[in-house]
Amino acid sequence: MTTRTATVTWAEANARRIGRQGLADPMTSSPGRAVAAMLAAHAQVPSAAELSVGLRLTGATRTDVRKALWNDRILVRTFGPRGTVHLLPEDELPLWTGALSTIPVRSGPLGKDVRLSADQTEEVLAAIGDALTGAELTIDELSDAVVARTGPWAGDRVMPAFQGMWPRWRQVMHLAGHRGVLRFAPDRGRGRKVTYTNPGTTPLDGPEALAGLVHRYLYAYGPATPQHFAKWLAAPISWAVSVFAERAGAGAIEEVAYEGVGPAWLVAGDTDFPAGPARGVRLLPYFDAFTIASQPRERLFPGAAYARALAGGQAGNHPVLLIDGAVAGVWHQRRSGRRLPVTVEPLSPLTARQLRGLEEQVERVGVVLEGKPDLTVGKVTVGPHA
């Protein structure tokens, strides 16, 4: 390791992130610790979350991740950063709910006649928490329970949704997760209906929790700026600037020069970086935490990768091929029974060493997803994930 306190290069920052997340050498710990290392695993697509976690662990499979979530309860599936569904470590849920509850609530794109007032928001959140205490409810059951505890106004179908209109109360569903009164429960029956419950989490005190989240974020993804932190959380930049200023004033974080960015921040004293750049071939699934949070994005997605592997500048919509720490292609897999056809599209020809590394990664994907992989190197014709 080398120590740099004046200027941190992109190669140093990138290599450290990769190493700390188990992407250089898989971890021998639990799914809970793997998720903690990346802070949170995006789980809107459950199979992608299972792959994100499993690839960071030695010999892990999707069954191990599911067991950690539904049997051992060391993971929880709930609404996390950006109001989207994530896996979080169960033992860190008080910190997450305490920190996420401090983010200023923005009105968003909904019109005034659709938005809930501040009082209505609190009424709905209380109703959600009450309805889910000691229960596991489907979305329709929860909707009936919320309307019964509040009033018909909560059930007005005024929110544009994928295939129609949702009831008004659902605009604050993610806030219920942030407040610690809602989490996903096991799916119900053969129809695989999603259910929700109240985890009974008591959030940590807001300032304490937020300080902890800033520390974890900078440990995993620093150097970073308040703007990077705000983007990762979908929070106001002015709020993030004030949060970093407070942590700097307390001596908890320190400023460094970050190549290609300018002034950025690290956890105070956390100035050791790998001596060399990241090496090797990796496959990362949809919405992997590393590709979402690593900044500056144009360095992670250099040249043609920026156009091919991002959807309008948004990371995560394509599974990506990493070569020596940078995105160098896209890939896709579609399960057919036990078979896992995997197509990888490199953006430039692979060397013999890189092809061997890719074959090893495809085998690891097969282990995690408990299938028999079959690699094709060629054009990926599937579009970005919606």
Side-chain angles (χ1 to χ4, degrees):
M1 302 287 284
T2 61
T3 298
R4 296 290 179 88
T5 57
T7 299
V8 177
T9 68
W10 158 255
E12 289 170 333
N14 192 43
R16 190 169 82 167
R17 292 167 186 159
I18 286 173
R20 286 183 172 179
Q21 289 202 17
L23 294 175
D25 297 299
M27 306 174 189
T28 58
S29 55
S30 70
R33 292 309 90 201
V35 173
M38 61 176 120
L39 298 193
H42 195 288
Q44 194 76 38
V45 181
S47 61
E50 292 162 2
L51 190 52
S52 275
V53 179
L55 288 173
R56 288 166 164 83
L57 295 168
T58 301
T61 68
R62 62 178 183 171
T63 297
D64 296 322
V65 181
R66 292 172 183 176
K67 183 172 180 287
L69 176 60
W70 303 123
N71 298 101
D72 300 336
R73 300 296 178 93
I74 62 175
L75 293 175
V76 56
R77 187 169 184 245
T78 188
F79 292 92
R82 304 175 300 284
T84 53
V85 179
H86 280 74
L87 298 183
L88 303 175
E90 176 77 34
D91 59 0
E92 292 187 355
L93 194 55
L95 179 142
W96 274 99
T97 52
L100 292 174
S101 294
T102 68
I103 300 174
V105 177
R106 296 190 283 190
S107 58
L110 297 176
K112 186 176 181 180
D113 58 336
V114 176
R115 294 197 301 267
L116 294 171
S117 68
D119 288 342
Q120 287 174 328
T121 295
E122 295 304 319
E123 191 175 349
V124 168
L125 292 173
I128 292 172
D130 182 59
L132 292 178
T133 298
E136 295 180 356
L137 304 180
T138 66
I139 191 62
D140 291 335
E141 292 166 346
L142 178 57
S143 189
D144 290 342
V146 169
V147 173
R149 286 165 170 79
T150 54
W153 54 266
D156 290 341
R157 293 187 173 275
V158 294
M159 282 188 62
F162 297 108
Q163 297 178 345
M165 304 295 278
W166 281 345
R168 190 190 307 272
W169 72 268
R170 286 190 61 173
Q171 65 191 267
V172 296
M173 198 168 176
H174 68 288
L175 290 180
H178 290 180
R179 296 283 186 90
V181 298
L182 178 147
R183 66 180 284 178
F184 286 79
D187 291 348
R188 182 190 297 174
R190 292 183 179 179
R192 307 292 289 174
K193 287 188 174 181
V194 172
T195 68
Y196 305 90
T197 191
N198 185 341
T201 302
T202 300
L204 280 182
D205 175 67
E208 177 187 355
L210 188 55
L213 186 59
V214 170
H215 184 284
R216 284 162 172 77
Y217 170 79
L218 289 178
Y219 184 84
Y221 297 107
T225 67
Q227 290 77 13
H228 295 155
F229 186 63
K231 186 178 183 68
W232 176 67
L233 286 175
I237 292 176
S238 59
W239 171 83
V241 169
S242 68
V243 169
F244 273 50
E246 182 176 344
R247 301 313 302 148
I253 64 176
E254 65 178 80
E255 186 179 282
V256 294
Y258 182 23
E259 180 190 12
V261 174
W265 297 89
L266 296 170
V267 173
D270 186 29
T271 55
D272 287 340
F273 289 86
R279 296 297 184 195
V281 178
R282 301 290 181 269
L283 293 176
L284 299 181
Y286 287 115
F287 303 108
D288 188 86
F290 175 78
T291 57
I292 295 291
S294 292
Q295 296 287 349
R297 191 161 284 167
E298 60 270 17
R299 294 300 298 269
L300 183 62
F301 294 80
Y306 199 88
R308 182 66 182 96
L310 294 174
Q314 180 179 344
N317 286 279
H318 289 282
V320 298
L321 166 69
L322 282 187
I323 296 181
D324 296 340
V327 173
V330 297
W331 66 284
H332 179 75
Q333 67 86 17
R334 184 181 298 277
R335 194 178 195 97
S336 178
R338 284 276 299 169
R339 289 187 63 249
L340 286 173
V342 176
T343 301
V344 180
E345 178 188 333
L347 296 178
S348 59
L350 300 176
T351 66
R353 176 186 64 83
Q354 290 167 347
L355 181 58
R356 288 193 299 271
L358 176 58
E359 291 169 343
E360 292 172 359
Q361 277 288 288
V362 170
E363 287 300 318
R364 286 199 65 199
V365 169
V367 169
V368 175
L369 296 183
E370 299 172 321
K372 184 175 176 58
D374 180 20
L375 170 64
T376 298
V377 177
K379 184 74 173 177
V380 171
T381 58
V382 178
H385 191 278

